Amino acid sequence: KNEVEQSPQNLTAQEGEFITINCSYSVGISALHWLQQHPGGGIVSLFMLSSGKKKHGRLIATINIQEKHSSLHITASHPRDSAVYICAVKREDTGNQFYFGTGTSLTVIP
Amino acid sequence: EPEVTQTPSHQVTQMGQEVILRCVPISNHLYFYWYRQILGQKVEFLVSFYNNEISEKSEIFDDQFSVERPDGSNFTLKIRSTKLEDSAMYFCASIGGAYEQYFGPGTRLTVT
């Protein structure tokens, strides 16, 4: 059983396009984390959300708690944005562990 | 910006051998996690560690695994008798305010 589902699994975009990656979850959560995993394997935290919207540079993350859904948007995409984007949730009923989605692999073509 | 470090970056070991993976978390953090990621699969939680003891562990974290903070800075994950299926990337994460996670670069463990 996968508590966290991401879509699409793979995404190819032209440089400059607006990108949306979706994350749906089936449990009550206290926090949602968007992460970026580089081709070499390293993982970088992008956003931690519990409500509303956050923006950092060209990245925007939103969450709708009632609909159990979050989106990560990338504006003016660039080839350096190519990476796997991972959604992870902290359940509100099972302590402090995070449950991860399988990731969305993004390739931005120049 | 403070960072989490992990050593070694790559460890090759034979089945049945013990391995120790090391992490140096961010110095003023008190909460640490270990995760693993089998090649091509999602990241999985192994264990969380708070105030020098295990806070929570997953089903994966069986008797073959242990964690320690031997000297107040290093944070180690030990696998007592490695199996082929332990081959994976192992990530340490150091937890800041609001459960924001700072990941180390990972250790790639290959069991032959």
Side-chain angles (χ1 to χ4, degrees):
Chain A
K1 180 179 97 154
N2 214 11
E3 289 93 348
V4 183
E5 298 282 352
Q6 288 186 237
S7 63
Q9 271 192 304
N10 297 287
L11 181 56
T12 301
Q14 288 292 134
E15 184 173 355
E17 282 186 15
F18 180 84
I19 286 160
T20 296
I21 297 169
N22 297 296
C23 175
S24 296
Y25 49 92
S26 56
V27 295
I29 68 167
S30 56
L32 183 144
H33 208 159
W34 279 105
L35 303 156
Q36 181 191 53
Q37 186 166 31
H38 296 288
I43 297 176
V44 174
S45 171
L46 298 175
F47 296 104
M48 180 72 87
L49 292 164
S50 55
S51 64
K53 176 178 172 177
K54 286 189 176 179
K55 184 177 190 293
H56 186 256
R58 294 181 294 106
L59 301 178
I60 303 165
T62 64
I63 188 168
N64 185 319
I65 295 292
Q66 286 75 30
E67 294 186 6
K68 293 187 165 60
H69 182 267
S70 176
S71 293
L72 177 69
H73 306 285
I74 305 175
T75 61
S77 59
H78 190 276
R80 65 173 173 267
D81 297 326
S82 299
V84 176
Y85 291 84
I86 301 170
C87 169
V89 302
K90 182 174 169 300
R91 290 174 58 157
E92 60 185 6
D93 61 346
T94 60
N96 296 313
Q97 64 174 285
F98 279 82
Y99 295 82
F100 288 71
T102 52
T104 293
S105 179
L106 171 66
T107 303
V108 181
I109 299 169
Chain B
E1 184 176 298
E3 61 177 18
V4 179
T5 59
Q6 287 187 244
T7 54
S9 56
H10 190 189
Q11 173 95 44
V12 181
T13 190
Q14 288 193 321
M15 201 167 52
Q17 295 296 303
E18 175 183 283
V19 294
I20 298 176
L21 311 182
R22 291 183 169 81
C23 169
V24 179
I26 293 170
S27 61
N28 61 343
H29 289 181
L30 298 175
Y31 217 144
F32 317 110
Y33 288 19
W34 279 104
Y35 295 101
R36 81 170 184 192
Q37 185 179 32
I38 295 169
L39 186 63
Q41 297 187 23
K42 65 181 179 180
V43 176
E44 298 173 292
F45 170 81
L46 290 176
V47 65
S48 61
F49 194 81
Y50 175 72
N51 209 21
N52 291 324
E53 58 184 38
I54 290 175
S55 170
E56 200 171 339
K57 58 185 180 180
S58 71
E59 293 172 355
I60 304 167
F61 194 88
D62 61 22
D63 293 344
Q64 292 300 312
F65 290 89
S66 62
V67 288
E68 280 187 346
R69 199 164 187 215
D71 58 10
S73 60
N74 288 293
F75 176 45
T76 62
L77 175 70
K78 183 192 291 186
I79 309 175
R80 267 181 262 286
S81 177
T82 50
K83 304 187 279 287
L84 294 175
E85 54 266 37
D86 293 327
S87 295
M89 280 287 282
Y90 288 82
F91 293 100
C92 162
S94 181
I95 312 303
Y99 283 97
E100 180 131 22
Q101 301 187 72
Y102 297 84
F103 283 78
T107 293
R108 181 171 301 281
L109 176 65
T110 303
V111 182
T112 61

